[in-house]
Every structure is written in structure tokens, then in C-alpha cells.
Amino acid sequence: MRGRSHTTPVPIAGTAMVTGGTSGIGLAFARALAARGCDLVLVARNRQRLDATAEALRSEHGVAVETLVADLGRRGDVDVVARRLEDASAPVDILVNNAGMGVHTPLTSTEIAVHDEAIDVMIRAVLVLGGAAARTMEQRGSGIIVNVASVAGQVAMGSYSAIKSWVATYSESLSLDMEGSGVQVMTLMPGWVRTEFHERAKIRTSSIPDALWLDADDLVTDCLADLERGRTRSIPSKRFRVISWLAQRLPRALVRRATARIKKGRR
């Protein structure tokens, strides 16, 4: 059931940029990569959290940690981060396109600004930064790009699902574009992960069984192992590989019914 598409593995080494690197999945990536000896470029909006995270990682792992304060919902800030990826004098070997936000605003809401911001952060920024990294890495003949999508992108749960569906399709398309270039593109498809993500988005999670929750550090461990195997898609944990398989192969009417029940529990 695990996605079996493969490329030639690229060594997980050098300098890694992680967007949204001060919490949740992004922080788990930062810790795991630092533990492997990778220097870091952390991108996030909050200067205080960035500085505290950078200092902790330097102290614990003895790696260099650069910080970039950027709101990826702002095009000017995205351009600054893209220029850092294109800087040949300080190459970025790994990009983790992770920054995201929860969206619990109904599709019929007049509050379009919420959807606009989500599209800017999780579609436009992913496109711009992924393109900047891919172009630059292709010139060097080596690099890794991890795009964080979601199993939620395989079901119909509003704006967030639609956006993550785009990320998965984009990431696979970029992987095909980079075939033979030495650039490895991974689509990460997590399920529910215990982070502050849902609390920030004011999404109720009490209806989600404990067995379906993933640990961010375990998720990242699985993803890095899949990268080392040359895989182009990672769905951490057997249970979410099964859920993903069912979402793609069961009759759509059954998937819709199951999705509707989950959505009711989140309101």
C-alpha cells in the first residue's frame, strides 16, 4: 500500500531550509536534520520563537542555524526567502516546504480573506519556493525538496483539503520534472499529528480516536527513511497508508459518507 515510486536517493546532508520551523512538523524536521549534522535555515513569522528555537538547536546539536523572519502570506517575504534559496554562495541542499495554517472557515463564508491567506501560504509560497529550490538545485545536480501535503487532500473536507490536494499534485509533477537531474522531490502525506496546529485553527478534535494520532517526530523519522530508500511519496504509519489506500479505491459515495461523519465531529 505504500507508494512505490522511486528515484535515486540523494544524501541527507548539507544545509536544510525548513519553513514553519519553530513548531509542529517543521520543528520535528529541524531537530531530526540537526541531529544528522545538517546546518539549518529556519523560516517563521515570530522572531522570538525563531531565536529561541535556533539557540536550542545550536546548543543541543552544535550546528549553524540561520533565521529568516518571514510571513509566507506576504509576497515580498516569499521573494526574500526565494532569493535565499537561489544564493549560490550559501547553498541550500534540502528544502522542507512545510509552513501551513488550519482553515475552518466554511466555503460559503463571506470571509474570503481567510481562504486568500491559506492559498498564499500553502499554494503560492510552495510553488515559488519549490521552483526557486528546484532551479538552483538542478544547476548543482543535487538536492532534496520535501513538500508537506496531507491525507486530508484525498477527501472532501473544505478549503484545506482542496489546497493539500493541489500540493500533492504539484509535488508529484515537480518530481517528474526533476527526474534525472539529481534533485529528489518527496511528497509527505501525514494524517492527524499532535501539534498546536488544530488548536490555532479552532478545530475540534475530540471525535478523532486516539489511535489515529501521529507523533511528529515519528512522522519525520518515517519520511527521512523513505527519502533514503529513494521514494517519492511518504505516508507515515501503516494505519494512514491503509486510510489513503481506501480513500483512493472505495466507491466515492462511501468515502463521502465517512468524510461527512468526520466533518460533523469537528464542528
Side-chain angles (χ1 to χ4, degrees):
M1 291 180 192
R2 186 190 287 270
R4 294 289 176 183
S5 296
H6 288 68
T7 60
T8 302
V10 176
I12 301 173
T15 297
M17 175 185 286
V18 184
T19 66
T22 60
S23 64
I25 294 173
L27 178 57
F29 265 109
R31 287 194 298 248
L33 291 166
R36 288 170 174 254
C38 293
D39 293 331
L40 298 171
V41 181
L42 299 183
V43 181
R45 292 184 296 179
N46 187 299
R47 162 62 71 187
Q48 187 175 2
R49 290 187 71 165
L50 264 175
D51 289 344
T53 302
E55 184 54 38
L57 291 167
R58 291 187 196 108
S59 175
E60 184 173 356
H61 300 289
V63 298
V65 184
E66 178 184 345
T67 59
L68 280 177
V69 179
D71 180 346
L72 298 185
R74 296 179 178 177
R75 295 191 173 193
D77 286 11
V78 174
D79 290 343
V80 169
V81 180
R83 286 196 293 272
R84 176 63 186 86
L85 286 165
E86 294 168 338
D87 184 356
S89 68
V92 172
D93 304 284
I94 302 165
L95 168 64
V96 181
N97 241 336
N98 163 77
M101 55 182 286
V103 187
H104 197 44
T105 302
L107 294 172
T108 53
S109 173
T110 57
E111 297 178 28
I112 298 301
V114 177
H115 298 297
D116 282 341
E117 183 182 8
I119 289 168
D120 282 342
V121 172
M122 294 186 286
I123 292 182
R124 188 181 182 279
V126 169
L127 174 70
V128 173
L129 300 185
R135 287 190 302 273
T136 309
M137 291 174 181
E138 185 176 21
Q139 290 173 1
R140 296 198 306 267
S142 179
I144 294 171
I145 299 171
V146 178
N147 296 305
V148 180
S150 174
V151 171
Q154 297 178 316
V155 295
M157 295 183 70
S159 183
Y160 183 81
S161 286
I163 287 168
K164 289 302 186 179
S165 177
W166 181 92
V167 173
T169 302
Y170 159 79
S171 187
E172 187 169 356
S173 300
L174 184 61
S175 177
L176 289 170
D177 285 353
M178 290 295 105
E179 275 194 351
S181 70
V183 180
Q184 184 177 357
V185 181
M186 163 69 75
T187 307
L188 174 57
M189 305 275 287
W192 287 292
V193 185
R194 290 203 184 277
T195 68
E196 59 193 64
F197 177 88
H198 298 90
E199 183 180 347
R200 284 183 180 178
K202 298 179 181 178
I203 297 172
R204 287 179 56 195
T205 59
S206 56
S207 65
I208 301 170
D210 287 344
L212 288 182
W213 287 101
L214 300 174
D215 176 80
D217 293 321
D218 292 342
L219 178 155
V220 169
T221 297
D222 284 356
C223 179
L224 295 180
D226 282 339
L227 274 172
E228 290 177 324
R229 296 182 184 107
R231 289 178 174 149
T232 59
R233 174 175 287 205
S234 179
I235 306 175
S237 84
K238 184 175 181 179
R239 54 193 179 277
F240 276 103
R241 289 195 290 276
V242 170
I243 289 169
S244 174
W245 189 89
L246 292 172
Q248 294 177 83
R249 289 167 177 80
L250 284 178
R252 201 62 196 170
L254 288 178
V255 176
R256 280 171 58 93
R257 252 178 278 166
T259 304
R261 290 183 64 182
I262 295 170
K263 288 183 70 173
K264 284 180 182 177
R266 293 172 48 165
R267 290 174 183 164

